[in-house]
Structures are given as C-alpha cells and as structure tokens.
Amino acid sequence: GYHCPDFSAQAALSDGACRLVARQDGQVQGTLLLRHDGTQRLWADETYPLETQRLRRAGSRLLEVGCFAASRNAGLAVSQALIRATVSYAQQHGFDCLLMEVNPRHQRFYRHIGFAVGPITRNGKRAGAASVLISATLNALLHLLEPMSCTA
C-alpha cells in the first residue's frame, strides 16, 4: 500500500478501477476511486465530453478521481494523504493528467494544491448537482510527494 504518517491507502485493481482507502488505527477515514481512461468511458465524459476529448487529443493519459469522501472527524490530513497516494499511483502507472468533477465550493482546496479549475460549472449527471471539472498535470502535483518538513 501507500503510506503517509498515521495513514495508509491500499489499492485494489478491478476493471480499470482502483479504490484507495485511508485508515487510521484500523478505521476507515477516507476513500476515493481511480478510473483508468481506456476501454471504459470516464464519468467526466458524460458532463464534460469536449474537455475530456481535448485532453485526449493533446496526448494526455487520463486518470479520473471520483467518489472522494473523508470523515469529518479526520480533518484535512486524510484528504491530503489520499491526494498524495493518487499522485504516487498516477506516477507509478504512467498517467500524466488527473481529472475530477468537484462541487464548486471545494475548488479552492484543489486550486491550492495545483489543480486547474475549468471555467464552466455544469449540473453533474451522476450527482445531480453543480460540478466543475478540475484537472492537473502530474508535473503540477509532484511537489505533493516531496518529504514534508516541520520548522519551529
């Protein structure tokens, strides 16, 4: 699995999908699903078909992040651990672009760590709620894999 301080994320591959699970003291604190572009259509293709096709035509190898959930009690550390594990997974499996549909109110968090936020908010077909497509090149997110240091 992938290890972060006090958290681990374990991947289970199945039909071009991988679930990462963050646990602390044996308890699930967060989870997300990674979907490989290829034989399956990505969920983002339903709501943002022009945007996903543009990325493919540019030669991007897409990895979609979905079903991202973290325990309210776990704090920001769980989300950060899962994003770091996702970046590591993408790097190890040859993906160079991450995509995710997010609620517009969460875009500030993702922009802060290196995602670009699309200009269009649409009604996401799967969630039935407003969504915005965010994306990031792997290079824009590699800083998340650098060891963190604490200063006094």
Side-chain angles (χ1 to χ4, degrees), residues 8 16 18 80 83 93 95-96 109 141:
S8 68
C18 169
Q80 291 171 333
I83 292 292
H93 292 87
F95 295 99
D96 61 8
F109 167 76
L141 299 175

Side-chain angles (χ1 to χ4, degrees), residues 5 80 84 143-152:
Q80 291 171 333
R84 279 194 305 273
H143 70 279
L144 297 172
L145 298 181
E146 295 172 5
M148 291 192 263
S149 62
C150 298
T151 57

